Amino acid sequence: MTTLDSSKEIQKNNSEVNETHEDFRMFGLITFLIADGMTFAGFFAAYLTYKAVNPLPDGAIYELELPIPTLNTILLLVSSATFHKAGKALLKDKNSDSQKWLFFTAFLGIIFLICQLFEYFHLPFGLTDNLFASTFYALTGFHGLHVTLGTLMILIIGWQSRINGGRLTSQNMFPLEAVELYWHFVDGIWVVLFIILYLL
Amino acid sequence: MTISIDPQKTNNESLQPKGWLRYFSFSLDHKVIGIQYLVCGFLFYLIGGTLASAIRIELASPMSDFMPRDVYNQVLTLHGTIMIFLWIVPVVNGAFGNYLIPFYVGARDMAFPRLNAVAFWLIPPSGLMLVASYFVEGAAQAGWTAYPPLSITTPQSGQIIWILSVLLLGGSSIFGGINFIATIIKLRRPGLKLMQLPMYCWAMLGTSLLVVLSTPVLAGTLILLSFDIIANTGFFNPVLGGNVVVYQHLFWFYSHPAVYIMVLPAFGLVSEILPVHARKPLFGYTTMVFSIMGIVVLGLVVWAHHMFTSGTPPWMRLFFTIATAFIAVPTGIKFFNWVATLWGGKISINSAMLFSCGFIVNFVFGGITGVALAQVPFDIHVHDTYFVVAHFHYIVYGGTVFIIFSSIYHWFPKVTGKMLNEKLGILHFIITFIGFNLCFAPQHWLGLNGMPRRVAEYDPQFQFVNQISSLGALLMAISTIPFLINVFLSVKNGKNAGDNPWNALTPEWLTSSPPPVENWEGEAPLVEEPYGYGKEISEQK
């Protein structure tokens, strides 16, 4: 049994009015991720329309280098797997293992961001150079923002599981499960983005 | 996994400031938040209405003599934005949804009470920010649609604040939508089936689906637009290779469903009010449910009918014409069901019923002009004229705002425990109805004869009709006075209402008025037939 609020004072006060019901925080999160996915869908739609309707003059077309984004794709897919490992470990009550996997996932996320910054600094175009450049930075930047938030959340729950002998237990999986779902979502968006932006 | 969530954490009497002060606190109680939404929305309605009056004063004469032209553009931008994002959307969704949905699903609060409070408290600051943007140098003047290139070439500091404010309001609306979906699908009391829910729940479910699917697209679009303004990118700037039509597509992907986000809850509310005051079951419950879902699906695929004159290719025009015309089918089903609900009923003529019937009359008129506007040749003729303005206001004022007033008259006894004065209420209805039709019916004529919208000056031949329209606007402004007097007098010393003054069967009336902090003493009642009025009468016989 857990509550949303850990304050024991309030818990005691309300013991008579508590209603026990199914946990639907995950349901709310999924709804939110659908909404978030729609934002990306809007961006993708805009990008594809520009590609189809507003072709750039020949001189303004840039070849994107593939090595870094491919490495980034692999990084994110591996990080999804390591995050899954963290969940498995926690389920078996191996807290320190779970923590290690979490921090490793966060590490991969940070590497991803560093690679992306590296790519930004070595691209031959800037944000305002032309329409393609703007869309490129808007899409990857918005995704990078999601990766940043996800990495921060992983660090936070990893940190939380350290203090107080671990607030993250096999009985209280929700923070981990929620961040995991979010992380998989961000990975999935990256795969779509990779295909649309770099491969097409 | 089950968790024990106590939605009433701070609703507990010992933790709650007593009396009216609690309506000014950061409460998590869905009833308090609902009323906060309503009062906050109404204050913005008064601001938006004042701006509307200013517009009508300007248009009473053909020259721009009341205010300079750019001020006129700023005023109409602010009027549109306030009315849509701060009055109608928050009130029909936030206010009535928060107040009624937990009752209807048999819960003690919304699914996520904190998220609910966050969603409300985003509104006052961003609303004030929006109003403040008027006083910044270069207030937004591109209309509520903020079409580029106008929005990126006019002075921009106000436009940036406008975008920020609309983004925050969109966030508020998404949080609300998530909360409603979770509450209606997951938080129903055991034994309550989906097909036993009152119609307003279905309407809110459909609305919330639209909110969750389309509002984020607007958010993304406005982010791109703000990049265009701040960082000098060229997404929507033709000079830099951008494409303004892309903006229109993305914008209308939200803003067409937004019309249904405003009107679907009103459909739900009128379906609650009519059966009570006609003492008859709601006609065709199942068809009503399916028509709501039909409107949701169709509402998402018709956005481009706003863009028939934007170089839309013919196949697209054909598709969007057909899809738009099809929406008339589920809407027509609902309309006939309401009329059939009234048919042979024991109708009591009170303010709530009058406003609801006014809604039906206005809405069918707005719907017919809507079908007309879906036809490409006609649309090209009246595009950006006052015909569109008239159609839009018939849907949104004649539809939604009439239902907001109807709902206030209907649920006021539940909220305060006091009755509203019926004579003042009927006076309010008569002035509003006459004023509204006097204001907007002539605008159809103006539009057909070619008076463009969003301009401060017009051809003198339209002056007489514009003056009639302005007279109607004056009446609409006056109509607020009896309403406000009525509310203040009734809260102070109105008749005591008792728990169930209308003898209604929906669950919110089965508790005391005003409801206790946790909605019910003991277990929530299970209402299997929220519209079983005929049965009640036959049992009495």
Side-chain angles (χ1 to χ4, degrees):
Chain A
M1 270 302 184
T2 56
T3 56
L4 283 178
D5 195 320
S6 56
S7 155
K8 298 221 167 61
E9 194 65 42
I10 295 175
Q11 229 169 303
K12 206 175 65 193
N13 245 334
N14 284 268
S15 50
E16 304 105 54
V17 301
N18 281 7
E19 298 223 308
T20 307
H21 55 65
E22 203 192 337
D23 179 4
F24 36 68
R25 286 175 291 178
M26 197 54 95
F27 181 87
L29 179 65
I30 293 170
T31 323
F32 174 75
L33 289 182
I34 292 173
D36 205 10
M38 286 305 290
T39 321
F40 276 106
F43 282 172
F44 288 145
Y47 170 75
L48 291 173
T49 321
Y50 287 139
K51 208 174 155 80
V53 192
N54 285 33
L56 293 169
D58 282 341
I61 293 172
Y62 303 112
E63 280 292 314
L64 287 169
E65 303 272 339
L66 275 179
I68 294 176
T70 316
L71 174 71
N72 270 348
T73 314
I74 296 167
L75 277 177
L76 277 191
L77 291 177
V78 172
S79 76
S80 257
T82 55
F83 207 137
H84 192 66
K85 277 277 194 191
K88 287 273 187 202
L90 189 63
L91 206 60
K92 290 176 194 155
D93 275 323
K94 290 178 183 164
N95 273 29
S96 58
D97 277 8
S98 149
Q99 242 171 63
K100 275 174 206 154
W101 284 118
L102 277 180
F103 284 128
F104 186 56
T105 316
F107 175 70
L108 290 176
I110 292 168
I111 299 281
F112 173 92
L113 289 169
I114 291 172
C115 286
Q116 202 169 35
L117 278 180
F118 182 80
E119 188 193 8
Y120 279 7
F121 283 122
H122 287 81
L123 283 173
F125 51 82
L127 175 66
T128 54
D129 276 12
N130 61 32
L131 193 55
F132 171 78
S134 306
T135 338
F136 173 85
Y137 282 111
L139 273 171
T140 52
F142 195 55
H143 180 266
L145 185 69
H146 278 73
V147 176
T148 314
L149 288 177
T151 310
L152 283 176
M153 286 195 285
I154 296 171
L155 286 173
I156 288 168
I157 58 167
W159 180 254
Q160 272 195 338
S161 64
R162 282 172 76 95
I163 51 176
N164 299 335
R167 273 184 62 189
L168 222 54
T169 62
S170 55
Q171 265 73 53
N172 182 21
M173 295 274 287
F174 176 74
L176 189 134
E177 283 174 340
V179 180
E180 184 176 353
L181 185 68
Y182 177 83
W183 194 250
H184 292 329
F185 165 79
V186 174
D187 285 0
I189 294 285
W190 173 261
V191 173
V192 179
L193 195 152
F194 181 64
I195 293 170
I196 291 182
L197 202 58
Y198 288 94
L199 299 184
L200 276 188
Chain B
M1 178 173 63
T2 58
I3 53 164
S4 149
I5 296 178
D6 37 346
Q8 295 75 33
K9 209 154 276 165
T10 51
N11 308 347
N12 205 306
E13 295 284 3
S14 56
L15 299 168
Q16 190 73 258
K18 292 256 161 46
W20 57 271
L21 261 180
R22 74 186 180 127
Y23 293 106
F24 292 91
S25 67
F26 293 101
S27 174
L28 300 189
D29 186 352
H30 71 100
K31 300 183 286 296
V32 175
I33 294 178
I35 293 163
Q36 285 172 336
Y37 264 111
L38 182 63
V39 173
C40 177
F42 194 82
L43 293 177
F44 281 113
Y45 171 63
L46 293 181
I47 299 176
T50 312
L51 296 171
S53 311
I55 292 173
R56 280 321 316 176
I57 292 172
E58 167 63 61
L59 292 177
S61 67
M63 298 310 290
S64 74
D65 37 17
F66 182 64
M67 49 184 143
R69 288 166 211 164
D70 54 339
V71 174
Y72 177 83
N73 286 347
Q74 291 160 3
V75 164
L76 79 87
T77 302
L78 207 55
H79 161 71
T81 319
I82 285 178
M83 287 303 198
I84 287 169
F85 293 116
L86 287 162
W87 157 239
I88 293 174
V89 172
V91 167
V92 283
N93 290 284
F96 297 114
N98 272 310
Y99 201 91
L100 296 173
I101 294 289
F103 282 112
Y104 284 173
V105 298
R108 296 195 190 277
D109 207 326
M110 297 288 284
F112 308 112
R114 273 152 219 257
L115 188 67
N116 203 11
V118 169
F120 169 71
W121 285 104
L122 277 174
I123 290 179
S126 40
L128 286 179
M129 208 160 81
L130 187 70
V131 175
S133 83
Y134 175 79
F135 300 101
V136 174
E137 196 187 348
Q141 49 178 305
W144 81 279
T145 52
Y147 270 6
L150 186 57
S151 54
I152 46 184
T153 49
T154 48
Q156 291 154 353
S157 37
Q159 192 72 44
I160 281 290
I161 303 177
W162 184 92
I163 289 174
L164 206 56
S165 160
V166 174
L167 275 178
L168 287 172
L169 293 170
S172 152
S173 156
I174 292 173
F175 292 155
I178 292 173
N179 218 339
F180 285 124
I181 294 178
T183 309
I184 294 168
I185 291 185
K186 290 280 185 177
L187 203 59
R188 291 192 315 277
R189 62 152 287 174
L192 186 63
K193 294 192 195 79
L194 273 176
M195 291 309 270
Q196 289 170 342
L197 286 173
M199 193 52 62
Y200 184 55
C201 289
W202 280 103
M204 280 308 294
L205 187 61
T207 311
S208 305
L209 285 174
L210 284 177
V211 167
V212 165
L213 290 176
S214 61
T215 316
V217 179
L218 175 75
T221 318
L222 290 180
I223 289 171
L224 293 185
L225 185 66
S226 63
F227 271 120
D228 273 5
I229 297 174
I230 302 170
N232 203 22
T233 55
F235 296 110
F236 308 125
N237 193 345
V239 179
L240 300 172
N243 193 335
V244 287
V245 179
V246 171
Y247 177 87
Q248 296 188 8
H249 274 292
L250 293 172
F251 177 82
W252 286 114
F253 184 79
Y254 164 74
S255 293
H256 187 77
V259 177
Y260 299 101
I261 291 169
M262 292 185 259
V263 147
L264 274 181
F267 286 176
L269 291 167
V270 75
S271 306
E272 300 303 330
I273 294 165
L274 287 181
V276 174
H277 298 288
R279 313 305 305 165
K280 270 189 70 190
L282 184 67
F283 187 89
Y285 179 91
T286 322
T287 54
M288 291 290 245
V289 171
F290 282 104
S291 62
I292 284 176
M293 290 306 154
I295 292 174
V296 169
V297 174
L298 286 171
L300 281 170
V301 296
V302 298
W303 73 89
H305 68 216
H306 295 266
M307 301 159 55
F308 284 154
T309 56
S310 311
T312 317
W315 66 269
M316 230 189 221
R317 285 177 171 179
L318 187 64
F319 170 77
F320 284 102
T321 294
I322 294 170
T324 308
F326 259 119
I327 290 196
V329 176
T331 318
I333 290 173
K334 300 188 80 65
F335 168 75
F336 285 116
N337 280 351
W338 291 322
V339 175
T341 306
L342 293 176
W343 184 278
K346 198 173 154 220
I347 297 171
S348 42
I349 303 292
N350 53 30
S351 337
M353 189 66 172
L354 282 172
F355 268 104
S356 281
C357 292
F359 157 83
I360 295 179
V361 172
N362 296 332
F363 194 81
V364 79
F365 204 71
I368 289 168
T369 51
V371 175
L373 279 172
Q375 314 309 317
V376 179
F378 184 76
D379 181 76
I380 289 172
H381 177 63
V382 297
H383 187 82
D384 258 339
T385 65
Y386 263 86
F387 192 87
V388 180
V389 176
H391 159 73
F392 180 77
H393 283 86
Y394 259 86
I395 297 288
V396 170
Y397 195 99
T400 312
V401 179
F402 268 61
I403 283 304
I404 290 174
F405 284 127
S406 175
S407 308
I408 290 173
Y409 283 104
H410 185 71
W411 277 290
F412 190 84
K414 175 47 63 185
V415 175
T416 60
K418 300 280 172 61
M419 295 300 279
L420 279 172
N421 185 322
E422 278 301 325
K423 275 181 192 152
L424 277 173
I426 290 170
L427 180 71
H428 175 208
F429 169 75
I430 291 172
I431 302 178
T432 313
F433 192 78
I434 294 175
F436 167 75
N437 281 296
L438 206 58
C439 183
F440 291 108
Q443 294 184 2
H444 291 105
W445 185 88
L446 287 175
L448 286 171
N449 285 281
M451 176 172 162
R453 65 173 175 166
R454 292 185 176 176
V455 282
E457 295 172 15
Y458 55 87
D459 195 313
Q461 59 160 317
F462 299 129
Q463 185 177 15
F464 176 66
V465 184
N466 265 303
Q467 279 168 344
I468 295 178
S469 187
S470 296
L471 182 70
L474 179 69
L475 278 180
M476 281 160 81
I478 291 172
S479 76
T480 320
I481 296 169
F483 174 70
L484 283 174
I485 293 174
N486 199 352
V487 169
F488 282 119
L489 287 184
S490 303
V491 170
K492 261 197 140 179
N493 41 16
K495 254 191 322 180
N496 271 335
D499 288 350
N500 193 353
W502 315 121
N503 287 319
L505 293 176
T506 35
E508 79 273 23
W509 298 101
L510 305 180
T511 181
S512 62
S513 302
V517 177
E518 288 167 2
N519 294 356
W520 285 286
E521 310 279 343
E523 210 183 329
L526 176 62
V527 180
E528 285 177 3
E529 283 186 78
Y531 303 113
Y533 293 106
K535 289 200 174 150
E536 177 202 43
I537 292 163
S538 61
E539 274 163 24
Q540 279 169 359
K541 277 176 190 170

